[in-house]
Amino acid sequence: VELAPGAWHVPDWLSLDEQRELVAAARSWAAPPAGMRHTVMPSGGVMSVRSVCLGLHWEPYHYSEFLPDGTPVKPFPALLGALARRAVVEVYGSVPSDPYDIGLVNHYDAGASMGLHRDADEESPAPVVSLSIGDRCVFRFGNTETRTRPWTDVELYSGDLIVFGGPSRLAYHGVPRIRPSTGDPATGLASGRLNITIRAMGRRT
Ligand code: MD5
Ligand code: FE
């Protein structure tokens, strides 16, 4: 389903086995050092999701090889690169312009949400690939001009793929709410929603 030019939603893209593999991997990615944490914004606000970065660490609003406490970011897993390339080839029918090298794993508990924002700290125009596991959520897909309406709310289920390329790469988006206790424990995720987002840094010019 094309949500907007270049933005695609592919329901039920991951098999249950792949979801289980990613949940198990995420458990090791989430462990310290350089594990899952709440990001603190420059305003002093604390994001309600917990996140762990792989390959490059994101801190508002730039990337680094180190966390603020000086620990090195975990390496980018080959598994995520392979999934992202496969997604782009299936959806767009062409290989991505840059190698995928940034993984971001977000965990939303029952009350967590993410406000409307753009992912604009990467240099590459390569599509962003995003996977959902666990509880369902409302994903809000906005426009490229303003943080306000018009937007479209899409229900994302465990196993769904969304990709954002071309004119939608810099669209505003967010997750206003999750639907608690709607996930299948067979994924290995006991509660909440896991989002795995894969991006390419690209070459700075
Ligand atoms: C999520 N996470 O479901 C979303 C999935 C984040 C984030 O937004 O930054 O961690 S990524 C959705 C996305 C990425 C890039 C572009 C667009 C959406 N878009 O143009 O709508 O937890
Ligand atoms: Fe985002």
Side-chain angles (χ1 to χ4, degrees), residues 114 117-119 173 199:
M114 193 178 290
H117 66 278
R118 295 201 274 196
D119 295 5
H173 60 277
R199 307 183 173 93

Side-chain angles (χ1 to χ4, degrees), residues 20-182:
R20 292 167 54 89
E21 181 183 16
L22 287 168
V23 169
R27 222 173 282 291
S28 71
W29 298 332
M36 270 206 162
R37 51 193 273 284
H38 291 278
T39 299
V40 181
M41 302 305 285
S43 62
V46 178
M47 289 181 68
S48 58
V49 302
R50 289 184 310 132
S51 308
V52 58
C53 297
L54 306 164
L56 278 174
H57 176 80
W58 183 83
E59 200 67 31
Y61 289 92
H62 67 276
Y63 282 101
S64 162
E65 288 164 33
F66 299 92
L67 277 69
D69 68 3
T71 52
V73 66
K74 286 187 171 86
F76 178 73
L79 169 65
L80 296 190
L83 280 170
R85 280 191 300 277
R86 196 178 102 209
V88 166
V89 168
E90 279 186 30
V91 169
Y92 301 102
S94 59
V95 296
S97 56
D98 289 299
Y100 283 96
D101 54 3
I102 308 171
L104 172 63
V105 181
N106 296 311
H107 183 271
Y108 294 73
D109 68 17
S113 63
M114 193 178 290
L116 279 186
H117 66 278
R118 295 201 274 196
D119 295 5
D121 298 323
E122 303 80 25
E123 310 289 335
S124 172
V128 174
V129 173
S130 172
L131 304 168
S132 295
I133 301 175
D135 285 348
R136 273 158 44 203
C137 76
V138 179
F139 176 75
R140 181 160 292 173
F141 181 70
N143 60 84
T144 55
E145 306 300 320
T146 71
R147 271 191 79 206
T148 58
R149 284 184 168 85
W151 57 53
T152 306
D153 285 352
V154 181
E155 197 85 7
L156 295 182
Y157 286 71
S158 195
D160 286 8
L161 163 71
I162 43 177
V163 290
F164 301 91
S168 293
R169 174 64 183 78
L170 293 176
Y172 283 91
H173 60 277
V175 178
R177 57 168 304 170
I178 76 155
R179 310 259 188 224
S181 308
T182 54

